Amino acid sequence: METVFHVDWRGACGIGGLKITYLNFPLKSVKRLGSGTLQKFYRIGHAFFMLLEAVWYFRCALSRRNRADTMMQLYVVGVKSIAVITVVALFTGMILALQTGLELMRYGQQVFIGSAVAVSVIREMGPFMAGLIIAASVGSSMAAQVGTMTVSEEVSALEVMGINANRFLVMPRLVALVVMMPLLTVYTDIVAILGGALVGYTQLNVELLAYYHNAMMYTEVKDLYVGLFKAGLFGLVIGTVACHQGFSARGGAVGVGVATRRTVVSSFLLILVLGYMITRLFYL
Amino acid sequence: MIRFDQVHKQFGSHVVLRDVSFTVQRGETVVIVGFSGAGKSVCLRHMVRLEGADSGLVEVDGQAIDLLNRKEMRALRSRFGVLFQGAALLQWMSLFDNVALPLRERTSLGEAEIAKRVEERLEWVGLLDAAERLPAEVSGGMQKRAGLARAMVMDPEILLYDEPTSGLDPVTSRSIDELMLRTNRERGATSVVVTHDLISALAVGSRILMLHEGQVVEYCAPEAFVKSEVKVVQDFLAAQQITG
């Protein structure tokens, strides 16, 4: 049998009837990488424009058409998250006080747990905890709701009725998150500091007044402002990611599940990265 | 008039519409039939630009809809009423609020006028008694009827129905057919119905278009359709036990 060696234009080669296509591997990979990158940029662009349009409609938040939805979202984000935030903040403050206090106790300096807890909670832990809790509870539920609306054609129906989905669905959610996140952060700060005080008083023999004075001594107003700024930004991020993922949901329940998971993962990552960048910007 | 000219659409490597061309004249009811995955719903979604064509042209009254900006598209869509496959009612709103939604969002009518018009439409579809119930609290057929009331509430010139009778029992299906017929007869709207229910297609259609593997294989009056000699059409008729 005659053996013929050939190379085709894509770089695949073969001998006789046996075609070896391993040379296609890098070309296909490059193609896939390129289209994947373009898709990513397209999605980021889509999310960004959705955010811009929704922010543009913030002025309509309390208009006759949107008031009820905005109020409902404020209730869902704020009031319905209080219980879980209380528990997490309380125990975080208690753990922080206990760990710091046990170390400081070795030097007889446990009275300083007030400043340790207050500074770390107000600067970092408060907005960070509130962000993670809201991303996991509210963000995931928003993604699931918008995702279900997308796959069941409710979003298409809005579009056909000439109703702007960014105003109707995204704006009330973003407003609620941007308003409620700083408030929840202040609440988280207070509860965590109280948790620290409880541990200091009952386990480390720190007087409440001394704890309070120490907490106030090293805390600056700037810490609170930076924390609140972070919280507002985290709110925008959670809302944008959740709604964008919801709108991108495809293929029924599985697609909604994927959108929900992506919302939680992306929000967590963005909260961490943005938290670091803001801290660096304001404190370095 | 709606005109498709050489419309091609594919998702990834899967071609859904292959150079589809047809025209829907003003005031007529065209029923698009075909097997599952033939591209019927995709075709319908192109008419209101919920999908964009990869190539080819979709025109509504001479306007190429791919060239319209958002504002123009919004104005054009206000001439359409669409009944989606699953009715697509907003789940947190009552049937009344669902039907009232386009009026509240797109008009400056007062609540009294809105209530009057919504009640008229709900009565039209026989749902006035269930007005305050949530979509999850009513049957699939009632949801479809509420979806139809919502589609009609702005008095559209063109009505699109995506699988209006799918998932419904035969009696409810015929009541939906009757509603479509009444709507088309009394309001003179142009209608496009996507279905694979041939009984419904023959009952409501003034012309029937059959799509198969993304191509138009037959487009004619119902009487001619049942006598068609196209193999796929014959198979389709035979599968539903309809003979010419």
Side-chain angles (χ1 to χ4, degrees), chain A residues 135-178:
Chain A
S137 56
V138 177
S140 59
S141 110
M142 276 181 186
Q145 191 187 11
V146 176
T148 306
M149 290 183 70
T150 303
V151 298
S152 62
E153 294 188 307
E154 288 169 46
V155 174
S156 296
L158 289 176
E159 214 170 309
V160 171
M161 285 188 279
I163 298 169
N164 188 319
N166 289 339
R167 177 185 59 75
F168 190 76
L169 295 174
V170 183
M171 181 274 287
R173 286 162 174 77
L174 279 188
V175 167
L177 282 163
V178 170

Side-chain angles (χ1 to χ4, degrees), chain A:
Chain A
M1 192 179 80
E2 191 187 355
T3 303
V4 181
F5 179 80
H6 67 266
V7 178
D8 73 14
W9 63 275
R10 288 168 300 193
C13 65
I15 299 170
L18 179 68
K19 192 177 177 188
I20 305 163
T21 54
Y22 69 92
L23 285 177
N24 268 344
F25 169 70
L27 293 176
K28 277 184 181 170
S29 300
V30 170
K31 189 181 166 192
R32 209 173 294 146
L33 185 71
S35 67
T37 310
L38 282 176
Q39 278 285 329
K40 284 268 185 296
F41 277 115
Y42 173 78
R43 284 182 184 164
I44 291 168
H46 181 265
F48 185 67
F49 281 110
M50 184 197 77
L51 170 67
L52 283 184
E53 194 170 17
V55 169
W56 168 252
Y57 282 117
F58 271 17
R59 65 205 159 88
C60 311
L62 295 176
S63 66
R64 186 175 64 96
R65 291 188 298 183
N66 297 102
R67 195 180 306 135
D69 281 339
T70 307
M71 290 301 167
M72 172 55 81
Q73 293 303 324
L74 284 167
Y75 171 75
V76 169
V77 177
V79 180
K80 287 204 149 188
S81 309
I82 283 282
V84 65
I85 281 198
T86 305
V87 175
V88 174
L90 188 72
F91 279 93
T92 306
M94 286 164 71
I95 292 165
L96 208 57
L98 195 59
Q99 286 286 11
T100 324
L102 288 174
E103 285 305 309
L104 290 173
M105 217 162 132
R106 287 162 60 184
Y107 309 100
Q109 299 294 319
Q110 67 269 32
V111 73
F112 288 107
I113 58 163
S115 50
V117 171
V119 169
S120 57
V121 163
I122 293 174
R123 275 191 189 178
E124 292 297 335
M125 299 292 283
F128 181 69
M129 277 190 298
L132 294 190
I133 293 165
I134 294 298
S137 56
V138 177
S140 59
S141 110
M142 276 181 186
Q145 191 187 11
V146 176
T148 306
M149 290 183 70
T150 303
V151 298
S152 62
E153 294 188 307
E154 288 169 46
V155 174
S156 296
L158 289 176
E159 214 170 309
V160 171
M161 285 188 279
I163 298 169
N164 188 319
N166 289 339
R167 177 185 59 75
F168 190 76
L169 295 174
V170 183
M171 181 274 287
R173 286 162 174 77
L174 279 188
V175 167
L177 282 163
V178 170
V179 170
M180 279 301 172
M181 272 295 292
L183 294 177
L184 288 171
T185 298
V186 171
Y187 178 74
T188 306
D189 293 347
I190 292 169
V191 173
I193 291 169
L194 287 177
L198 188 69
V199 166
Y201 184 68
T202 57
Q203 324 254 316
L204 303 167
N205 297 322
V206 177
E207 286 299 320
L208 289 178
L209 203 60
Y211 179 91
Y212 173 77
H213 280 308
N214 259 291
M216 290 296 111
M217 196 184 300
Y218 293 99
T219 313
E220 296 171 23
V221 178
K222 179 187 168 189
D223 297 336
L224 186 66
Y225 288 156
V226 173
L228 295 183
F229 173 68
K230 271 185 193 174
L233 194 65
F234 292 166
L236 265 188
V237 166
I238 294 165
T240 306
V241 171
C243 293
H244 172 65
Q245 288 295 343
F247 285 138
S248 310
R250 296 286 178 275
V254 175
V256 175
V258 170
T260 309
R261 181 175 54 77
R262 281 186 180 161
T263 297
V264 176
V265 173
S266 305
S267 300
F268 276 25
L269 290 176
L270 284 168
I271 285 170
L272 283 167
V273 173
L274 283 174
Y276 169 76
M277 285 165 73
I278 294 167
T279 302
R280 196 174 186 284
L281 187 72
F282 283 95
Y283 291 101
L284 202 68

Side-chain angles (χ1 to χ4, degrees), chain A residues 53 65 153 161-162 167, chain B residues 45 70 74 89 105-106:
Chain A
E53 194 170 17
R65 291 188 298 183
E153 294 188 307
M161 285 188 279
R167 177 185 59 75
Chain B
R45 292 172 70 85
R70 274 179 90 174
R74 203 171 158 216
L89 300 173
E105 291 283 335
R106 300 293 313 278

Side-chain angles (χ1 to χ4, degrees), chain B residues 30 43 53 56 81 85 100 115 119 136 145 166 177 179 193 196 211 217 220 222 235:
Chain B
V30 168
C43 212
Q85 196 167 350
E119 280 165 12
R145 276 147 60 194
S166 73
D177 288 347
L179 267 176
V193 185
H196 45 232
L211 276 177
V217 291
C220 56
D235 290 347

Side-chain angles (χ1 to χ4, degrees), chain B residues 43-97:
Chain B
C43 212
L44 201 76
R45 292 172 70 85
H46 273 78
M47 293 176 192
V48 278
R49 212 170 76 182
L50 287 174
E51 300 287 353
D54 295 335
S55 64
L57 194 67
V58 180
E59 280 184 356
V60 177
D61 287 342
Q63 285 182 296
I65 66 169
D66 279 341
L67 304 178
L68 301 180
N69 62 30
R70 274 179 90 174
K71 197 176 166 191
E72 290 165 337
M73 195 60 220
R74 203 171 158 216
L76 181 74
R77 279 178 176 156
S78 68
R79 297 170 53 196
F80 281 84
V82 183
L83 171 60
F84 286 89
Q85 196 167 350
L89 300 173
L90 302 185
Q91 297 298 309
W92 70 88
M93 287 183 180
S94 66
L95 300 186
F96 181 96
D97 288 335

